[in-house]
Amino acid sequence: MVIGDKLPWKYIFRLHAPWLLATFLVAAAAWMATRIFQLELPFTPVPFQIAGVALAIFLGFRNNSAYDRWWEGRKLWGGIVNHSRALARQVLTLPVAPEADRPALLAAQRRIIYRQIAWLYAVKQQLRAADPLEELKGLLPADELEGLKAQKNVAAWLIHTNGVEVAGLAAKGWLSDYRLEILDRSLTELISLQGGCERIKSTPIPTAYRIFTYRFTRVFISVLPLGLVEHLSPSNVPVLIGLSLAFLVLETLGRILEDPFSTGPNGLALGAIARNIEINLRQQLGETELPEPAKPTLFNGIPILL
């Protein structure tokens, strides 16, 4: 996610340079044909005006849909933040054990909270189609890490394992049925939030919308100079190029926002969010040696958080 108000304009121009060049060449050819060779091209602005309005409406609808996906992803991760903190608080305050069993209870509480931290990174990695075990070393015991290699959904299994451990606390008499229900609701809410993220990831905007907007936008800007042939001049070509860039950026923005969990400059900063929750949860455990908050990296000279 981009930090601050600067945009990587050099990257934007470089990304769209081929199509902007195509628009410029068509404009130059049309200008030469009418001004130098005195040819009459059979084009009028009216069809292009109608097509431009239709394309703008279509792009607006598509981009609204894409932004809704992006914002829903952010709200789901906001829920993950809240319920992760709540789970840690409940794990640390609800179980009550006799003094002789306190060391065993503290060890179980630490395992549950560290497993919750591991779940955060596993969800992040799975949403980015990366190895979910990559960032779990040091958070889980070696034998548990080895067992996770056989799981197709590592994050879901971590929630399941925490559920088993919480049930074990109740079986030992350290949790009443009412308090067990509270912890179980928190775990259920976390798995529901994971499912919401997976729904966004596995259900992209329909292919017809994506292909139509991509192709129609590029065809439109390529032939737009023909519709403006009567008004073409060296002075208004930059305006034509700027208009073409606006359409290209709008179309590209819709494709980028469609996947809020990408690692690009407009993706959600899942790594930074997960790191902040890790710091909070480890502080709740009373730890003082904490990891540093995530630092931005440079993308074409612009700081972004991943």
Side-chain angles (χ1 to χ4, degrees):
M1 185 172 64
V2 173
I3 304 300
D5 299 326
K6 293 184 178 180
L7 291 175
W9 286 108
K10 290 183 180 179
Y11 171 75
I12 293 172
F13 278 107
R14 188 164 62 249
L15 180 65
H16 300 299
W19 287 103
L20 295 177
L21 177 61
T23 302
F24 173 79
L25 292 176
V26 172
W31 182 82
M32 292 176 63
T34 55
R35 302 300 190 274
I36 297 177
F37 299 106
Q38 302 299 314
L39 298 178
E40 292 188 7
L41 300 180
F43 298 103
T44 63
V46 176
F48 296 89
Q49 292 171 353
I50 296 173
V53 171
L55 179 59
I57 293 172
F58 201 84
L59 284 174
F61 172 77
R62 189 267 171 88
N63 284 8
N64 281 339
S65 300
Y67 181 76
D68 284 344
R69 292 166 58 86
W70 188 92
W71 183 238
E72 184 183 1
R74 183 61 187 90
K75 288 192 292 184
L76 287 168
W77 270 81
I80 287 173
V81 171
N82 295 338
H83 285 281
S84 294
R85 291 169 178 164
L87 177 68
R89 173 181 55 79
Q90 292 162 0
V91 166
L92 292 173
T93 59
L94 296 184
V96 179
E99 191 62 34
D101 294 330
R102 286 287 296 166
L105 174 58
L106 291 173
Q109 290 170 326
R110 187 179 186 279
R111 285 195 301 271
I112 293 171
I113 291 177
Y114 264 78
R115 199 175 287 119
Q116 174 60 24
I117 295 170
W119 176 83
L120 297 166
Y121 289 108
V123 171
K124 179 197 73 137
Q125 291 291 92
Q126 289 176 192
L127 293 175
R128 291 178 170 174
D131 181 8
L133 301 179
E134 183 178 331
E135 298 188 25
L136 305 190
K137 295 178 180 178
L139 296 174
L140 300 173
D143 58 336
E144 191 168 340
L145 275 174
E146 187 65 27
L148 288 174
K149 292 181 180 179
Q151 299 300 322
K152 293 185 177 180
N153 193 320
V154 170
W157 185 256
L158 289 169
I159 292 288
H160 170 78
T161 307
N162 263 350
V164 171
E165 184 132 23
V166 167
L169 298 181
K172 293 176 181 178
W174 300 344
L175 271 177
S176 66
D177 290 345
Y178 174 69
R179 294 186 176 191
L180 172 62
E181 183 181 352
I182 292 174
L183 278 166
D184 185 70
R185 281 203 301 265
S186 292
L187 293 172
T188 301
E189 185 62 33
L190 286 167
I191 203 67
S192 297
L193 291 168
Q194 177 186 336
C197 293
E198 291 172 342
R199 170 176 46 81
I200 294 175
K201 185 68 177 180
S202 62
T203 313
I205 289 176
T207 304
Y209 281 107
R210 289 184 284 122
I211 292 179
F212 177 80
T213 52
Y214 179 87
R215 294 181 178 175
F216 188 29
T217 300
R218 281 149 182 79
V219 170
F220 176 77
I221 66 166
S222 298
V223 300
L224 182 60
L226 300 178
L228 304 176
V229 65
E230 296 180 0
H231 309 285
L232 281 177
S233 68
S235 61
N236 61 25
V237 168
V239 178
L240 178 63
I241 297 298
L243 179 62
S244 300
L245 179 62
F247 275 105
L248 288 170
V249 169
L250 284 173
E251 190 279 327
T252 303
L253 187 60
R255 284 189 288 117
I256 292 173
L257 293 181
E258 180 183 346
D259 183 6
F261 309 122
S262 68
T263 56
N266 290 293
L268 294 173
L270 302 187
I273 296 172
R275 178 63 62 82
N276 286 337
I277 305 175
E278 177 185 0
I279 293 171
N280 295 157
L281 267 57
R282 290 175 64 173
Q283 279 185 317
Q284 286 179 267
L285 278 172
E287 296 184 8
T288 55
E289 295 184 6
L290 303 171
E292 292 289 330
K295 296 181 180 179
T297 59
L298 290 181
F299 176 82
N300 287 272
I302 303 298
I304 65 172
L305 279 174
L306 299 177

